[in-house]
Amino acid sequence: MGARAEVHAHDLVIVGGGLTGLRAALQACRAGVATAVVSKVHPLRSHSVAAQGGINAALGNAPGYEEDTPEAHAFDTVKGSDYLADQDAVAVMCREAPAAVIELEHMGVVFSRTEEGTIAQRPFGGAGFPRTCYAADRTGHTILHTLYEQLMAADVAFYEEFFVTSLVTDGGRCTGCTALSVPPGEVHAFPAKAVLLATGGFGRLYSRSTNALINTGDGAALALRAGAMLKDMEFVQFHPTSLAGTNILITEGARGEGGILLNREGERFMARYAPHSLDLAPRDVVARAIETEVAEGRGFPGGYVHLDLTALGAGKIMARLPGIRQIALDFAGIDPVAEPLPVQPAQHYSMGGIAVDDGGRTGVPGLYAAGECACVSVHGANRLGGNSLLETVVFGRRAADGIIDAVNARARPDPGPAVEAAAADERRVAALLGREGEEKVPALLRDLKETMYRSFGIFREEQKMQDGLSTLTALRKHAAGASVGDRGRRFNQALVNLLELEDLLLVGETVARGALMRRESRGSHTRTDFPKRDDERYLRHTMAGLADGKVVISYAPVTIGTFEPQERVY
Ligand SMILES: Cc1cc2nc3c(=O)[nH]c(=O)nc-3n(C[C@H](O)[C@H](O)[C@H](O)COP(=O)(O)OP(=O)(O)OC[C@H]3O[C@@H](n4cnc5c(N)ncnc54)[C@H](O)[C@@H]3O)c2cc1C
């Protein structure tokens, strides 16, 4: 080592090759912006590929539900968010949804069809209409492959297996990033006029998660260290139905198609929690209900309830939920055509993220963010299923549109600061590889995840959270001396895991501090010691920033539009 870092200069560097990153890249390339996509895995292995149930748009294609509108979609979204979403951002997303879905169809996404041949739509939780467009139960896979195909014909540079380690700032402006090329184990410099973070969520902060192993909140940590703010980090979604034990997702589409939840007594218990919406209440409501059934002894030993799809029949399951059937067969040895599935809640989605406006701008000039790593605030305290895929394509495109204008007006930055940052990260990598500490990364990671699940899970309470925060502080100290084990440079996954652990610890602290300071229950943030929503004190966004290396919490107003906050009843 010691040689000068390799330098890759572009107008725009997009960090992340999921749906957000690819949709943004397509837009930027088509406008002639020299664009790079940097991703720690091959883009088609991005977590978006696992999305199952569908993408929302008020197309009104379901027979009998033709009167669906973007306004109805916006209302459901705002109510689902427990009124914490910014209503101007929600209006943008819902208004642009039909065109975004039709655009995907025109690119080649093979959506499932109605009898009439239009895009089929299924009911999803918290939605007043069947609004979720789907490709069986492989919607993310289908869309991601289509966007990737489109990009094969565009002039974009892909850097795969590059782990972004730092954002570069020069005079307060973001002028690129540095990334560890994992195969040789070298840090490269990426000077750029703009950087768009599209790094996905931080699900792997929790011991029970439906997320891919790569979802470690790197983007949020990078942004925070570069001076950007994070927003509403305490709002973490737990999906009600993951396969018990493995926590692989069983899509909400399974209930949308008619699946029902039963406790050990064979009771359709959702009738007690959401008498009108039943199994299709929003996720926060259903996850709490399952957790309560289990806690009160009406679950099955091992902590789960049943999701019964048998009434759907083999034909419907094969046509609409083939992936779910295969998952159940492969990972539980159960055929849902004949038997109910054991399900339990698991962490699923990060509502909070890097604070941005509806053009993806963070507070740091030149730095943008979109998709699950960002918080434009369309999900508030609880996301509705099907709205995340929508967010990726709508706000991925919008961020790119803003960036195109911005980069066209600027000259390329001096690459010097990026080169210096790469050299600094190279020294850091060498130091990490040389550490002799006793602490091992896998054990620290396990403690962190279990702490988060125990202290900042579905039900939260002051003392448990204080204990959790103390453990996080201790874990940060231990991690500062942890050794990597493998000292080699090539494909050093243990090194990547240590870098991810550092990011998760920082992100975890923002979740913890936000949760402790929000003394109310709203959406996914349920405090047993403060069970009511408190609009007077907490109808506001939690903002987390870094000052002298410490997480500092402040608050920002919520944008209310036509929908006045009301009690949520389902
Ligand atoms: C199992 C499952 C099913 C889902 N189903 C649905 C659904 O049906 N409908 C719906 O609306 N939502 C669904 N969601 C949510 C939705 O899939 C995600 O929110 C969305 O796909 C996120 O897309 P993204 O582009 O923002 O991030 P991702 O797809 O997670 O992509 C992140 C990218 O960032 C890269 N990256 C991260 N860190 C770094 C780093 N340090 N350096 C370089 N690259 C980095 C990764 O390599 C990856 O390419 C589901 C989620 C799960 C877990």
Side-chain angles (χ1 to χ4, degrees):
M1 297 297 124
R4 194 173 185 273
E6 254 188 75
V7 180
H8 313 278
H10 298 275
D11 289 343
L12 167 63
V13 169
I14 298 174
V15 186
L19 283 175
T20 310
L22 296 194
R23 182 63 193 85
L26 195 57
Q27 195 76 359
C29 287
R30 284 178 175 167
V33 172
T35 302
V37 172
V38 180
S39 171
K40 65 180 176 177
V41 295
H42 186 281
L44 293 178
R45 298 186 64 209
S46 300
H47 179 67
S48 292
V49 83
Q52 297 176 348
I55 176 168
N56 293 341
L59 299 178
N61 287 351
Y65 293 98
E66 292 79 6
E67 69 278 20
D68 193 10
T69 60
E71 290 71 34
H73 183 182
F75 172 71
D76 291 341
T77 301
V78 170
K79 182 179 171 190
S81 82
D82 220 346
Y83 293 89
L84 193 70
D86 283 332
Q87 295 188 23
D88 48 356
V90 172
V92 166
M93 179 177 80
C94 298
R95 194 172 60 233
E96 295 190 3
V101 168
I102 300 296
E103 180 188 60
L104 290 173
E105 184 196 33
H106 289 179
M107 285 183 198
V109 174
V110 189
F111 285 109
S112 296
R113 296 279 149 186
T114 62
E115 300 261 301
E116 293 73 36
T118 56
I119 295 173
Q121 297 188 276
R122 58 170 44 130
F124 247 50
F129 292 81
R131 186 182 290 135
T132 306
C133 311
Y134 57 96
D137 53 4
R138 297 174 178 132
T139 312
H141 184 276
T142 312
I143 302 177
L144 192 67
H145 278 253
T146 304
L147 283 178
Y148 190 67
E149 269 166 32
Q150 294 284 322
L151 277 166
M152 290 295 94
D155 190 14
V156 63
F158 281 104
Y159 296 88
E160 296 152 20
E161 294 179 323
F162 275 77
F163 183 99
V164 172
T165 41
S166 301
L167 294 170
V168 178
T169 49
D170 186 10
R173 164 171 282 277
C174 179
T175 58
C177 65
T178 61
L180 173 75
S181 174
V182 179
E186 290 166 1
V187 181
H188 293 203
F190 290 81
K193 295 181 188 176
V195 174
L196 169 64
L197 294 170
T199 49
F202 54 81
R204 285 290 158 173
L205 187 54
Y206 284 84
S207 54
R208 264 197 213 172
S209 174
T210 62
N211 281 205
L213 292 171
I214 56 171
N215 284 17
T216 50
D218 307 335
L222 287 165
L224 199 57
R225 291 189 195 108
M229 302 287 276
L230 306 185
K231 191 171 176 184
D232 292 336
M233 293 295 282
E234 64 270 33
F235 295 102
V236 176
Q237 179 161 80
F238 289 82
H239 196 291
T241 61
S242 74
L243 195 62
T246 61
N247 299 121
I248 300 170
L249 183 74
I250 303 297
T251 174
E252 192 166 282
R255 281 170 284 138
E257 295 295 348
I260 56 169
L261 291 164
L262 301 171
N263 63 18
R264 190 160 66 156
E265 291 152 16
E267 180 201 9
R268 196 170 176 191
F269 59 87
M270 280 312 300
R272 279 187 278 114
Y273 299 89
H276 179 66
S277 302
L278 298 167
D279 309 275
L280 281 180
R283 292 175 179 175
D284 57 334
V285 177
V286 185
R288 273 193 299 270
I290 295 176
E291 200 79 344
T292 305
E293 290 299 295
V294 170
E296 293 179 357
R298 291 184 297 277
F300 291 88
Y304 61 84
V305 296
H306 274 160
L307 173 63
D308 190 352
L309 304 181
T310 54
L312 274 62
K316 199 169 185 184
I317 290 178
M318 304 296 192
R320 307 263 179 94
L321 302 166
I324 291 303
R325 177 165 182 259
Q326 204 57 52
I327 287 169
L329 284 168
D330 291 346
F331 292 93
I334 293 174
D335 186 348
V337 170
E339 278 180 84
L341 295 176
V343 293
Q344 61 188 177
Q347 190 288 344
H348 182 65
Y349 186 82
S350 321
M351 264 83 68
I354 305 158
V356 291
D357 66 12
D358 64 12
R361 279 169 287 264
T362 69
V364 178
L367 180 63
Y368 299 75
E372 188 171 343
C373 73
C375 181
V376 60
S377 200
V378 285
H379 309 304
N382 172 65
R383 171 176 78 93
L384 292 192
N387 270 352
S388 174
L389 292 187
L390 177 60
E391 176 189 22
T392 66
V393 289
V394 167
F395 291 104
R397 181 189 57 70
R398 289 180 69 91
D401 279 340
I403 291 169
I404 292 163
D405 293 341
V407 299
N408 283 340
R410 294 190 76 81
R412 286 212 176 154
D414 169 13
V419 173
E420 279 165 33
D425 278 356
E426 182 58 45
R427 288 192 294 277
R428 187 171 145 233
V429 164
L432 292 178
L433 291 173
R435 271 195 200 160
E436 303 275 358
E438 289 285 291
E439 302 282 0
K440 295 283 183 277
V441 174
L444 294 173
L445 208 47
R446 193 178 52 241
D447 283 357
L448 170 63
K449 291 169 177 200
E450 283 171 5
T451 301
M452 290 305 293
Y453 194 79
R454 199 170 45 243
S455 297
F456 304 97
I458 295 176
F459 289 108
R460 302 168 173 183
E461 173 267 318
E462 182 79 18
Q463 194 53 52
K464 261 201 297 186
M465 290 195 287
Q466 290 289 4
D467 293 347
L469 182 59
S470 305
T471 308
L472 289 191
T473 309
L475 286 171
R476 268 185 98 170
K477 286 198 187 115
H478 292 311
S483 71
V484 171
D486 175 0
R487 286 166 191 258
R489 282 270 175 177
R490 301 192 75 78
F491 279 110
N492 190 335
Q493 191 55 40
L495 171 64
V496 171
N497 291 154
L498 175 54
L499 297 170
E500 290 174 338
L501 173 67
E502 289 177 350
D503 290 344
L504 281 172
L505 280 163
L506 182 56
V507 168
E509 187 175 338
T510 64
V511 173
R513 292 199 183 277
L516 267 161
M517 288 177 69
R518 185 173 281 276
R519 298 186 147 195
E520 65 158 355
S521 290
R522 183 184 297 271
S524 64
H525 174 68
T526 309
R527 287 195 58 155
T528 51
D529 46 357
F530 295 96
K532 293 249 175 304
R533 192 175 87 191
D534 181 351
D535 284 348
E536 208 163 298
R537 296 177 65 205
Y538 293 108
L539 183 54
R540 54 188 189 169
H541 296 298
T542 305
M543 308 296 290
L546 266 192
D548 298 328
K550 293 207 164 56
V551 173
V552 178
I553 300 291
S554 57
Y555 293 95
V558 174
T559 307
I560 306 293
T562 41
F563 309 120
E564 280 300 318
Q566 297 167 13
E567 195 190 342
R568 278 167 90 215
V569 180
Y570 288 98

